Amino acid sequence: MVVLISGEDAELRDLNVDGNNLAVDCVQFTGSRIRLRNVSAHRSARDGFREGDDNVAAVYNANVWEAQNLYASNNARHGLYVHDAKPATDNQGGMLLGMDARNNGGDGICMGTSANDTIIGAVCQGNSGYNIRLSSDSRAHTVIKSY
């Protein structure tokens, strides 16, 4: 990843991240109570924004995250991917308020193994996959005024 936030109670704001087609996510966050504000992520060879980890052995708690005014475009996979590789998810209770996810190679927003997250005001268009996908491993999400 270009930017990794693994601590607790951290905030990333007012930043443009260019993945430069590196084989990583632009912004990955795995800590509790992480806040992202006015951040854009472009041209990653994986995901623009990634909440969680693919490593089953990883020890983290990525609950109660909050993101506002995100922009993800031209990433090889998803604009925002919320997924935990562990069977019991540590990705829950998140809030996404306003996101522009366009022209990504996968979904605009993909909710994998995760629970109890809220998405409000997301605009997803021109993505190769779904604009917003709630996978069979996700549960109890709320999506309001988004497309």
Side-chain angles (χ1 to χ4, degrees), residues 8 29-34 50-53 55-65 81-94 111-117 137 139 141:
E8 295 187 1
F29 51 108
T30 60
S32 290
R33 296 174 303 281
I34 299 297
R50 172 62 193 271
E51 198 268 353
D53 200 302
N55 182 356
V56 174
V59 177
Y60 67 89
N61 181 338
N63 296 326
V64 197
W65 56 273
Y81 187 31
V82 178
H83 176 73
D84 186 355
K86 296 180 281 192
T89 183
D90 268 326
N91 296 7
Q92 52 194 330
M111 305 303 285
T113 303
S114 56
N116 305 309
D117 297 312
D137 294 326
R139 61 184 191 276
H141 295 300

Side-chain angles (χ1 to χ4, degrees), residues 87-103:
T89 183
D90 268 326
N91 296 7
Q92 52 194 330
M95 167 75 76
L96 173 63
L97 180 59
M99 179 169 190
D100 184 354
R102 63 178 68 202
N103 303 321

Side-chain angles (χ1 to χ4, degrees), residues 79-80 96 99 101 107-111 119 122 124 130-133:
L80 169 64
L96 173 63
M99 179 169 190
D107 304 322
I109 298 172
C110 180
M111 305 303 285
I119 299 169
C124 304
Y130 294 100
N131 286 327
I132 299 174
R133 177 164 58 120

